[in-house]
Amino acid sequence: MATEATEIRGVGHSVKRKEDDRFIRGKGTYVDDVKLPGMLHMAILRSPFAHARIRSIDTSKAGALPGVIAVVTGELMAQHKLAWMPTISADTQAVLATDKVRFQGQEVAAVVAEDPYIAKDALELIEVDYEPLEAVVTPQRALEAGAPVIRDDKEDQKDNHIFHWESGDKEATDKAFAQADLTVSLDTFYPRSHPAPLETCGCVADLNPATGQATIWMTSQAPHAIRTVFALVAGLPEENIRIISPDIGGGFGNKVPVYPGYVVATAASLLLGRPVKWIEERSENLISTGFARDFYMKGELALKRDGTMLGLRASLLADEGAFHADAQPSKLKVGLFHIVTGSYDFPAAHVVADGAYTNKAPGGVAYRCSFRVTEASYLIERLVQNAAYELGMDPADLRLKNFIKPDQFPYRSATGFVYDSGDYHRAAKLAMEKLGYDELRKEQERARDEGKLLGVGMASFTEIVGAGPSADYDILGLKMNDGAELRIHPTGKAILKLSVQTQGQGHETTFAQIVAEELGIQPEDVKVMHGDTDNTPYGLGTYASRSTPVSGAATAMVSRKVREKATKIAAHLLEVAEEDVQFEKGRFFVKGAPDRAKTIQDVAFAAYTNFPAGTEAGLEGVHYYDPPNLTFPFGTYLVAVEVDPDTGEWNVRRVVAVDDCGVRINPMIVEGQLHGGLTEGFGIAKMQLITFDEAGNCIGSNFMDYLLPTAWETPRFELGETVTPSPHHPIGAKGVGESATVGSPAAFVNAVIDALAHLGVRNIDMPLTSSKVWEAIQQSSAGAPAG
Amino acid sequence: MQITVTVNGTERTADVEPRLLLVHLIREVFGLTGTHVGCDTTNCGACTVRLDGTPVKSCTLFGVQADGRSVTTVEGLATNGQLHPIQAAFKEEHGLQCGFCTPGMMLTGAALLEKTTDPTEDDVRWAISGNLCRCTGYMNIVKAIQAAGRAMQDEKAPEPAGAAS
C-alpha cells in the first residue's frame, strides 16, 4: 500500500467539531427528545414554604382527574424504602417529604399522567396542610443558640452545624503573623449562584417489568456513578441498569448530583410498568437543583514591609442548604478550597471551615469549577490586590514579587498540594504587555485628576483539576479513575469509548485527536462514544475539568497499548525483529530503511487477516487511568473598567486573558471554552444571584430575576497563551474548561475596586450591581466625587 | 381545534387543545425536536422559530396562533440538503458547544441577514440579545453570523432560505 505523508490532524490542530453536524441541523438528541411508546409524564409538586411541618396530604381530587395514572407521595415512597436517599456528601436527602419541608421548592408529591398538561393540572388539586415554621436563611442564624433545628430527622443532630474542617499548619501560621510588619484582611461573601445550563434536568425512566431491565435516559454528567448509586439505593441489580446520557445541553456542575425527580420517575416506572418522562421547568431547576458558592470568607495576609508574603489565614462558613449534598471527593469537606494559597509562595497557611444547614436548596456543586477552587481563587486574588493598596505597591508588582518561581516546581504548597508545573511570571507579563498595563496605569492617573473612575483588575489564578489520585480521591468510596476503550477495525477505522460525558466540550473531536496523535488514524476515522453505561468503560464522569486530565490520559495510554501490539504485527509484515520497527505518524517502518513501511491501516487489516502465530486476533485495548497527581492550569486575567461616578454603572473596556493549560489538544475548542468561562465569570461578578427573603422565598427563580449575560452586555475577550506542559500527563495537557470561571470573577471585581481604591473602597460583595457600586462610592471617603 | 400550519414549506393540519403552546405543537405534534425549551418565560430564546418570517419565541405563543401561518424551524433552514450559510458558518467558526441554543440562534441570525448581509458586531449582538447561550460567550456566534453574511454576499443568495412563503 502507498504510504503518502498526509498530515495527521492530532494534538494541536483546530479540527472542526464532529458533533456539530447534528446540532446545526436540529438533530441532536436531548433527553426531552426521547419519546417511547406508552410513555407517561410526571410533574412534581413543590413546597411553597422554606420550613414547615406537613400535617396532611390529600391526593384524592388529583387522583380522580381523568388522565392521571398515579399520585406519588413520600408515604408511598417510604413503603418502598425510597423516601430518603443518600447524598454525594454522605448525608441523606428527602426524595419526597414525609415529615417536614426544609426549603422552598422541595419535592412533596408527584403526579404521573398521560399528558404533561394534565400532570400539571393535577398538581393544583393536591391539598397539603402545612404548619409553617421559622425559616433559617443564613448560616450565621443557623449556628445561633436557639435556632430551629432543621434536620430533626437525624437522631444525633441537635443543632445546624454540619462539619468543622482544617488544613495547613496553625502554629507556623500564627508565628508568621507574629513576625509580620503588616497584616491585611478581607471579609467577603461569595453569594449563591446557579449554573443554569440552558437545558434543565430531566429523565425518561423505562423499567421493563417482563425483563427487569431498567433503561434511564438522564441529563447526567456522570452516568456510571449514577448507575452504581441507583443500584445501591434502589436495590436494582447493576447489570440490569442502563443509564444513557444523550446529548446534554450544558451542565457546568448542575448535572452531577442525583435529584429526587430521577428517583421518583424511576420508582413510578417500576410501579406502573410504563416509561415515565420528567423534565424540569426552569424555575424548578433554579430553586431546587445544585446551586453554587454561598461561602462567607475571611482572609488575612501577613506581609513584610517590602511586600514579601509570610503567611495566610483563611476561614469560611459554608451555607449548605437543607441537606449536605455537595459534590466533592469524600475525604474533603470544602472540596479543594485549601488551594487558597494560589500562585504565591507562602511559607505558612492555615484554613478553617465550617458548614451549616439552612432552609435553602441543597446541592452545593462546583459550578464550572474544581471543587471550590473558585471561591479560594477569588479570596486570595482579592486579598492580594487589597494588600497592594495598603503597601502602596502596584498590585502587579506585589504578585510578581511573590509568585512561585519556575525553578520551584514541583512545588509543595503550605496546605500540602504538589503543583506540577508553572511559569506564573511569564503568563502575567504577557497579559500586562497585551493590555498595555503601564500605559493604562498612567491613563488612570490622568482620569482621576479629571474626576473619572478607571480601574484595572488583575487575577493570577492557579487552578487544581483532574481529580484524582486514588490514594486521596474517591466519591462514596469509588476511586476517581476513568477509562478509555479503543477498538481498531480491519479497515483501520476506530471506535473509542469513554467513561466521561461531554456537555458541549467537544469530546467527540478532541479525544479522536488524541488517538490521531498516538496512532496516526485521522480524527474523522475515530468514532467517539460516551454516555451509555452498557457500552462504555467505567468512570466517574465529567466535572472538575477532569475529562482531559483523566480520561484523556487513559485515551493516550490505551492508544499506546494498541500501538505495542500493532508494532508486533508490523514487524511480522515487514519480516524484521520487533525492535527494528519504528513508528511515526501512522507509519511503522524499518529503522534505517524508512521506505520499508506499513501504515496503521495495513497493520489493522493484518490484525484480523494475517497476524503472527501465537498472537490473538484483533487490535484493541482498554485502560483505566489513575492520575499520579492533579494538574494545575494557571493564567493571568486583566480587566479594565470605567465606572460612572454618578450612577455606579460600570462598563468593561478590555479583558485580556492569558491561559496556560499545558498542551492544547484543539486550540479552537480551548478558546471557545475560555470565552464561555469568562462570560460566566462576568455574569457572576455582575448579575447572577440566587438570594432569599427573610421567609426563605427564593428570589431569582426564573430568568427574569436571575440575570444571565446576553450578547449585548458580554464583553469582548482578548486571549493569549503560554504552554507549560504537565510533566505527569501522557500528552502534557492540564484541562481548561473551568479556568476562566475560576479566575475571572476576581479580575472583574478587582477592576471595579481598583477604580474606587483611592476613595478607600476595599470591598463590594458580588454581584456588583450599579446600585451597590453607587452605594460604595457614596459611603467612601469622597462621598461626593468630583464632577 | 382544527388548525392548518405551513411548517418548513409543508402544510400540516392538527387537532389541538387551545392551550397547547406553539413549541409543543412543533415538538410533540409535528415531531420536530430541534426547537428546544430552555426557560418557559420568553427569556432564553432556545424555542425561537420564525412565524411568517419573524423570529418568535414559541414557548409563549399558542399553537392556534399559528393557524393559517407559516412556521420555519431549524429543520427548515437547509434547502434540498444544502446547508444554509449560517449553519455552515456556525460549524466553521465554532459558534456552538452544547448545541441547545443553536437552532434559535441560527434562526434569529438568519432573519438578521435577510435585512443586511453586512451587519456590524453591535448589530449582531443586539439582534441576538434575546437568545441566551451559556457555553460560547457569544464571541464565535457573532463571528459566525457575520461570516454567514459574507458567504451570502459571495453567493449573491438569490432567495434567502427560511423566508415567509
Side-chain angles (χ1 to χ4, degrees):
Chain A
M1 243 183 241
T3 51
E4 277 177 30
T6 41
E7 194 183 16
I8 303 295
R9 291 181 299 286
V11 169
H13 290 258
S14 287
V15 176
K16 304 299 175 201
R17 299 201 328 165
K18 298 164 67 166
E19 40 273 85
D20 288 356
D21 292 330
R22 61 180 185 273
F23 293 135
I24 57 174
R25 290 174 172 83
K27 296 292 183 193
T29 303
Y30 301 90
V31 169
D32 197 18
D33 302 338
V34 174
K35 212 171 179 177
L36 302 177
M39 188 172 78
L40 300 169
H41 299 267
M42 188 180 93
I44 293 177
L45 181 72
R46 293 174 183 278
S47 167
F49 295 105
H51 199 189
R53 198 161 298 286
I54 297 174
R55 289 204 191 103
S56 65
I57 302 176
D58 182 351
T59 63
S60 54
K61 285 183 196 156
L65 187 73
V68 170
I69 305 297
V71 183
V72 186
T73 60
E75 202 180 324
L76 179 67
M77 293 296 280
Q79 288 167 20
H80 297 272
K81 297 193 168 57
L82 287 173
W84 292 81
M85 63 179 188
T87 69
I88 311 179
S89 281
D91 193 4
T92 49
Q93 176 173 355
V95 175
L96 291 177
T98 47
D99 53 341
K100 281 203 310 191
V101 287
R102 294 176 170 84
F103 69 94
Q104 186 188 52
Q106 188 180 338
E107 299 79 1
V108 174
V111 171
V112 183
E114 297 283 358
D115 174 282
Y117 284 61
I118 294 171
K120 298 262 163 69
D121 289 343
L123 293 185
E124 310 274 325
L125 302 174
I126 299 175
E127 290 166 1
V128 185
D129 187 10
Y130 293 102
E131 176 194 337
L133 303 169
E134 182 194 329
V136 179
V137 293
T138 66
Q140 291 84 359
R141 168 65 186 144
L143 296 181
E144 280 173 16
V149 177
I150 295 164
R151 295 302 303 277
D152 49 356
D153 57 293
K154 296 170 79 175
E155 266 180 35
D156 52 350
Q157 187 76 41
K158 303 296 178 209
D159 56 21
N160 295 315
H161 188 253
I162 308 173
F163 61 81
H164 175 83
W165 189 82
E166 295 189 21
S167 176
D169 186 334
K170 183 174 187 305
E171 206 179 312
T173 308
D174 287 346
K175 215 164 132 189
F177 273 81
Q179 290 166 353
D181 296 332
L182 179 77
T183 62
V184 179
S185 74
L186 173 69
D187 262 299
T188 189
F189 174 45
Y190 204 132
R192 184 173 277 231
S193 191
H194 193 284
L198 207 50
E199 176 203 36
T200 60
C201 299
C203 70
V204 177
D206 180 19
L207 277 79
N208 185 326
T211 62
Q213 173 68 36
T215 306
I216 306 161
W217 286 262
M218 189 186 282
T219 47
S220 176
Q221 298 175 221
H224 291 277
I226 298 275
R227 186 188 72 198
T228 303
V229 171
F230 267 54
L232 296 173
V233 174
L236 296 167
E238 195 166 359
E239 75 279 14
N240 282 354
I241 308 173
R242 180 181 181 190
I243 308 288
I244 301 174
S245 289
D247 290 322
I248 303 290
F252 315 119
N254 184 237
K255 290 169 179 167
V256 172
V258 175
Y259 294 121
Y262 299 146
V263 179
V264 181
T266 303
S269 178
L270 182 68
L271 296 174
L272 300 169
R274 289 172 67 178
V276 174
K277 178 186 273 190
W278 165 67
I279 302 291
E280 278 177 346
E281 291 187 351
R282 173 55 59 187
S283 62
E284 297 183 275
N285 178 252
L286 289 173
I287 66 175
S288 73
T289 65
F291 70 92
R293 327 299 189 224
D294 222 343
F295 269 18
Y296 293 83
M297 302 184 287
K298 181 173 183 176
E300 285 178 279
L301 273 184
L303 298 138
K304 281 207 256 182
R305 176 49 56 197
D306 69 356
T308 306
M309 295 176 186
L310 299 173
L312 171 70
R313 282 191 191 123
S315 60
L316 72 93
L317 178 56
D319 183 337
E320 301 288 356
F323 308 100
H324 186 211
D326 279 15
Q328 63 199 2
S330 301
K331 291 192 180 76
L332 305 171
K333 287 298 172 204
V334 276
L336 299 169
F337 181 83
H338 48 313
I339 188 78
V340 66
T341 54
S343 306
Y344 309 98
D345 185 11
F346 281 102
H350 186 233
V351 181
V352 180
D354 288 272
Y357 290 120
T358 59
N359 289 119
K360 291 153 82 172
V365 296
Y367 165 17
R368 207 166 181 164
C369 145
S370 183
F371 309 123
R372 306 295 195 172
V373 57
T374 310
E375 292 91 326
S377 177
Y378 181 76
L379 181 63
I380 186 66
E381 288 305 315
R382 292 284 325 283
L383 194 51
V384 169
Q385 182 100 3
N386 279 3
Y389 301 137
E390 305 314 321
L391 287 161
M393 273 177 90
D394 185 284
D397 291 339
L398 180 59
R399 287 180 167 88
L400 289 164
K401 184 179 176 62
N402 287 283
F403 279 154
I404 300 160
K405 294 177 182 62
D407 61 8
Q408 288 178 277
F409 292 93
Y411 170 83
R412 180 173 288 277
S413 80
T415 52
F417 294 106
V418 179
Y419 292 22
D420 60 350
S421 64
D423 189 341
Y424 303 155
H425 296 82
R426 186 158 63 122
K429 283 177 182 164
L430 177 60
M432 290 167 72
E433 193 183 305
K434 281 178 86 77
L435 181 76
Y437 185 86
D438 296 336
E439 181 45 45
L440 208 57
R441 283 286 177 212
K442 286 178 199 145
E443 189 187 337
Q444 181 183 38
E445 288 290 314
R446 294 194 296 273
R448 278 179 183 169
D449 292 344
E450 293 165 21
K452 289 182 189 157
L453 302 175
L454 177 65
V456 185
M458 184 168 188
S460 293
F461 67 96
T462 287
E463 246 226 292
I464 176 166
V465 307
S470 55
D472 297 319
Y473 295 89
D474 68 83
I475 291 183
L476 301 175
L478 301 168
K479 302 294 187 187
M480 298 187 75
N481 289 186
D482 271 83
E485 185 187 316
L486 180 64
R487 187 174 301 167
I488 320 285
H489 296 316
T491 56
K493 318 275 180 186
I495 287 184
L496 176 72
K497 298 177 176 185
L498 300 174
S499 59
V500 289
Q501 171 63 39
T502 187
Q503 314 125 42
Q505 294 91 334
H507 291 176
E508 290 168 39
T509 306
T510 53
F511 282 73
Q513 288 181 253
I514 298 175
V515 175
E517 181 69 22
E518 297 291 334
L519 282 172
I521 302 172
Q522 293 288 14
E524 60 268 27
D525 292 336
V526 182
K527 177 175 166 181
V528 177
M529 296 173 68
H530 52 87
D532 180 344
T533 57
D534 265 11
N535 292 313
T536 51
Y538 199 85
L540 289 202
T542 294
Y543 42 87
S545 275
R546 57 190 303 282
S547 295
T548 294
V550 189
S551 223
T555 300
M557 298 307 281
V558 73
S559 300
R560 289 172 194 180
K561 274 187 191 172
V562 164
R563 199 168 70 203
E564 267 178 44
K565 181 170 180 186
T567 305
K568 278 193 179 66
I569 297 170
H572 168 70
L573 296 177
L574 293 164
E575 298 177 331
V576 294
E578 205 182 314
E579 46 281 9
D580 291 332
V581 175
Q582 205 171 331
F583 176 81
E584 200 182 70
K585 293 181 178 167
R587 288 175 77 245
F588 297 86
F589 59 91
V590 179
K591 278 181 193 162
D595 289 346
R596 286 188 61 200
K598 295 288 174 188
T599 64
I600 181 72
Q601 288 79 14
D602 297 334
V603 171
F605 195 67
Y608 299 87
T609 58
N610 177 22
F611 44 89
T615 309
E616 283 178 47
L619 195 56
E620 60 187 68
V622 62
H623 188 91
Y624 290 89
Y625 191 74
D626 186 358
N629 189 8
L630 301 161
T631 59
F632 296 77
F634 60 92
T636 285
Y637 297 160
L638 286 167
V639 173
V641 301
E642 288 163 15
V643 181
D644 183 330
D646 297 324
T647 64
E649 193 184 349
W650 55 282
N651 287 305
V652 176
R653 194 205 274 189
R654 303 264 308 273
V655 180
V656 171
V658 172
D659 274 90
D660 191 323
C661 57
V663 171
R664 296 184 174 203
I665 297 166
N666 182 321
M668 174 191 84
I669 287 178
V670 168
E671 290 185 5
Q673 290 289 309
L674 292 169
H675 292 159
L678 287 163
T679 303
E680 297 203 47
F682 169 72
I684 290 164
K686 184 141 185 165
M687 61 188 83
Q688 292 179 209
L689 177 66
I690 300 284
T691 189
F692 297 81
D693 70 10
E694 284 173 6
N697 296 303
C698 179
I699 319 289
S701 62
N702 57 64
F703 283 172
M704 290 178 284
D705 297 321
Y706 183 63
L707 302 180
L708 301 171
T710 74
W712 188 246
E713 60 268 355
T714 298
R716 284 69 162 163
F717 307 115
E718 302 163 51
L719 306 185
E721 70 174 298
T722 61
V723 177
T724 311
S726 168
H728 62 79
H729 187 278
I731 58 168
K734 288 189 169 185
V736 73
E738 297 162 340
S739 294
T741 316
V742 170
S744 67
F748 287 108
V749 174
N750 277 344
V752 175
I753 300 293
D754 190 65
L756 312 178
H758 63 300
L759 307 176
V761 175
R762 291 293 180 271
N763 184 50
I764 306 170
D765 285 334
M766 294 187 289
L768 269 59
T769 57
S770 302
S771 66
K772 278 161 98 174
V773 175
W774 180 82
E775 228 170 272
I777 296 169
Q778 295 305 306
Q779 288 167 1
S780 73
S781 59
Chain B
M1 272 181 80
Q2 190 81 16
I3 57 170
T4 303
V5 186
T6 303
V7 183
N8 299 329
T10 306
E11 202 173 275
R12 308 278 295 262
T13 57
D15 188 15
V16 300
E17 269 194 80
R19 66 172 176 171
L20 183 75
L21 295 174
L22 177 57
V23 68
H24 293 140
L25 175 73
I26 292 166
R27 287 180 53 84
E28 308 300 332
V29 180
F30 297 144
L32 297 168
T33 55
T35 304
H36 301 139
V37 180
C39 74
D40 319 301
T41 52
T42 327
N43 292 88
C44 82
C47 65
T48 303
V49 298
R50 298 181 68 181
L51 187 62
D52 290 340
T54 305
V56 298
K57 294 181 178 173
S58 62
C59 76
T60 341
L61 280 166
F62 293 113
V64 295
Q65 290 175 278
D67 187 24
R69 302 172 75 176
S70 159
V71 170
T72 307
T73 70
V74 63
E75 290 90 346
L77 266 177
T79 41
N80 304 322
Q82 190 75 31
L83 290 180
H84 186 286
I86 204 160
Q87 291 173 297
F90 265 65
K91 176 171 178 174
E92 189 62 28
E93 301 293 337
H94 188 31
L96 66 150
Q97 291 181 26
C98 81
F100 205 75
C101 76
T102 312
M105 281 288 181
M106 293 192 303
L107 288 161
T108 302
L112 171 70
L113 295 178
E114 280 166 30
K115 290 187 196 141
T116 169
T117 52
D118 188 24
T120 64
E121 182 176 347
D122 275 357
D123 291 341
V124 176
R125 283 180 179 264
W126 186 250
I128 62 169
S129 62
N131 291 73
L132 294 175
C133 171
R134 298 289 291 148
C135 299
T136 66
Y138 306 104
M139 291 273 290
N140 291 344
I141 290 177
V142 174
K143 270 163 73 181
I145 293 172
Q146 289 181 313
R150 286 192 298 276
M152 287 163 74
Q153 287 168 18
D154 292 346
E155 280 177 11
K156 294 199 176 66
E159 223 179 50
S165 56

